[in-house]
Amino acid sequence: MAELTELLEKEGVDKELLAGAAEFRKAYLADPDFADRIPEVSALYYGKTVWEEAVAVLLSGRNLLLAGPKATGKNLLCENLAALFGRPVWNVSFHIGTDAAGLIGTDTFDGEKVSFRKGPVYMSAEKGGFCILDEINMARNESLAVLHAALDHRRIIDVPGYDLIRVDRAARFIATMNYGYAGTRDLNEALSSRFAIITMPQITEENMLRLLQRNFPDISERIAGQFVKLFGELARKAEKSEISDRAVDMRGMLDALDLIRQGLSSGQALELTIVSKTFDRYEQTLIRDCIGSRIPADLDRSLVFTG
Ligand SMILES: Nc1ncnc2c1ncn2[C@@H]1O[C@H](COP(=O)(O)OP(=O)(O)O)[C@@H](O)[C@H]1O
Ligand SMILES: [Mg+2]
């Protein structure tokens, strides 16, 4: 964690904000029973401004919503933030069937007696954890009403028939929401008004180059540069609605390089991880053209990796 602070200082993140996070860690020691829920920093989120905004929001006691295109590092940032603040994490992946029981908890029968099994929202409220509400817009707004009082100044969870739960002072809710240039399922005002919302930018060219080099230390610099340019070009085409944003996929870019390392040609790899992300034949042709103008289809691992 001290290490993370150092890394962030090197990224130019404001020192006072980092000192604030360090104070927070000292003031709210995490329950040792849940120490294994404090994430390790396996990779760093790159983006100084987003870091500063996110840390400021959490220090101010507010909850955070990270909204933006997929693969912009939302989940990575969530984990990094929990590591910085030294908080155990409880994660909920939202889907159309998510209901209060899945969030707060539910009665279970162990063969002898009925007992209450606490859900992730309950646990983080009680233990001062960070609760990641992942892809919150995928749930029905109505089924999230149970969160309203937890997310606003009341900081309580009041489910009829159960104890009143107070949200610990160190607990925060961090929601993520994928929306592309074309837009997707929305979040109603009752919920969105309870968060400070960061619109997640696509990674900068410079940082994407660092990301590729971090993941593939032996990648040819010239080819890494071409991947960066290709990603930018796909993103611009999606912004102009020439293609959908399905192919603007950072994970797909990294996967392609992995597959090349496994032995596929560059053309095959990018077909599997980028072109095929859209199912529209015409759009596939546009994406293939875009790739072809940057990256020859017959590169193999000996050309892409120089190590
Ligand atoms: N700004 C960034 N800094 C570091 N990694 C990033 C960034 N943007 C995207 N990535 C990479 O993209 C991939 C997807 O990140 P993830 O957090 O799962 O995205 P999201 O939750 O927004 O879909 C990860 O491998 C991550 O390392
Ligand atoms: Mg995600």
Side-chain angles (χ1 to χ4, degrees):
M1 205 171 350
E3 218 175 290
L4 175 56
T5 306
E6 266 168 44
L7 287 175
L8 291 174
E9 266 178 29
K10 274 195 207 128
E11 295 292 311
V13 175
D14 183 82
K15 285 209 172 96
E16 273 183 47
L17 287 170
L18 293 175
E23 254 169 58
F24 187 102
R25 277 200 306 276
K26 254 195 269 163
Y28 304 108
L29 291 178
D31 184 336
D33 284 349
F34 296 93
D36 60 345
R37 284 188 169 270
I38 305 175
E40 309 249 333
V41 180
S42 53
L44 182 70
Y45 172 83
Y46 293 128
K48 166 181 139 68
T49 309
V50 169
W51 263 112
E52 289 176 347
E53 291 169 350
V55 172
V57 166
L58 295 175
L59 283 175
S60 80
R62 288 177 175 76
N63 301 304
L64 184 61
L65 170 62
L66 306 175
K70 66 170 182 302
T72 43
K74 295 185 291 295
N75 288 95
L76 178 63
L77 179 62
C78 288
E79 298 226 326
N80 279 188
L81 285 166
L84 182 70
F85 283 83
R87 309 320 306 163
V89 164
W90 278 269
N91 198 84
V92 201
S93 290
F94 282 72
H95 52 83
I96 191 77
T98 301
D99 58 7
L103 300 169
I104 311 299
T106 176
D107 282 330
T108 56
F109 185 61
D110 65 4
E112 282 182 10
K113 58 180 188 325
V114 176
S115 57
F116 185 72
R117 188 166 62 217
K118 295 170 183 177
V121 168
Y122 192 135
M123 288 305 293
S124 34
E126 187 176 64
K127 297 291 169 192
F130 277 10
C131 189
I132 313 300
L133 309 171
D134 196 26
E135 306 201 9
I136 190 171
N137 55 319
M138 297 310 288
R140 286 192 205 86
N141 280 308
E142 310 84 72
S143 53
L144 302 181
V146 63
L147 291 176
H148 289 178
L151 290 168
D152 63 28
H153 64 277
R154 289 172 282 175
R155 295 182 72 83
I156 52 166
I157 303 166
D158 192 3
V159 185
Y162 296 102
D163 293 343
L164 182 76
I165 309 159
R166 293 200 180 281
V167 177
D168 187 273
R169 287 167 61 88
R172 299 287 185 277
F173 294 91
I174 309 181
T176 78
M177 169 173 170
N178 277 343
Y179 69 83
Y181 305 106
T184 34
R185 277 180 77 92
D186 217 340
L187 202 61
N188 72 10
E189 204 199 332
L191 272 171
S192 61
S193 68
R194 288 175 161 80
F195 291 98
I197 306 178
I198 296 181
T199 303
M200 296 290 280
Q202 286 291 359
I203 193 168
T204 63
E205 286 199 359
E206 189 194 348
N207 281 339
M208 181 174 169
L209 189 62
R210 292 170 68 204
L211 178 64
L212 294 182
Q213 287 170 335
R214 184 181 72 199
N215 280 273
F216 305 95
D218 57 346
I219 192 171
S220 137
E221 185 155 355
R222 195 178 59 81
I223 287 168
Q226 291 301 329
F227 268 77
V228 170
K229 292 270 183 271
L230 170 61
F231 187 72
E233 221 158 277
L234 291 171
R236 278 190 295 280
K237 280 201 191 309
E239 260 169 83
K240 287 189 279 182
S241 299
E242 291 171 18
I243 57 174
S244 68
D245 59 9
R246 285 171 162 259
V248 188
D249 187 346
M250 177 65 68
R251 225 172 275 124
M253 291 295 204
L254 298 170
D255 289 346
L257 288 165
D258 254 333
L259 289 177
I260 294 171
R261 168 109 72 204
Q262 288 296 326
L264 295 190
S265 70
S266 50
Q268 286 175 302
L270 287 161
E271 183 74 25
L272 267 60
T273 63
I274 299 290
V275 178
S276 303
K277 290 283 155 77
T278 169
F279 300 108
D280 180 299
R281 286 288 172 83
Y282 175 66
E283 199 185 325
Q284 288 183 345
T285 321
L286 295 179
I287 295 165
R288 247 179 237 119
D289 287 350
C290 201
I291 293 173
S293 68
R294 285 275 168 209
I295 297 166
D298 58 356
L299 299 181
D300 66 14
R301 60 184 160 204
S302 69
L303 292 165
V304 174
F305 303 103
T306 54

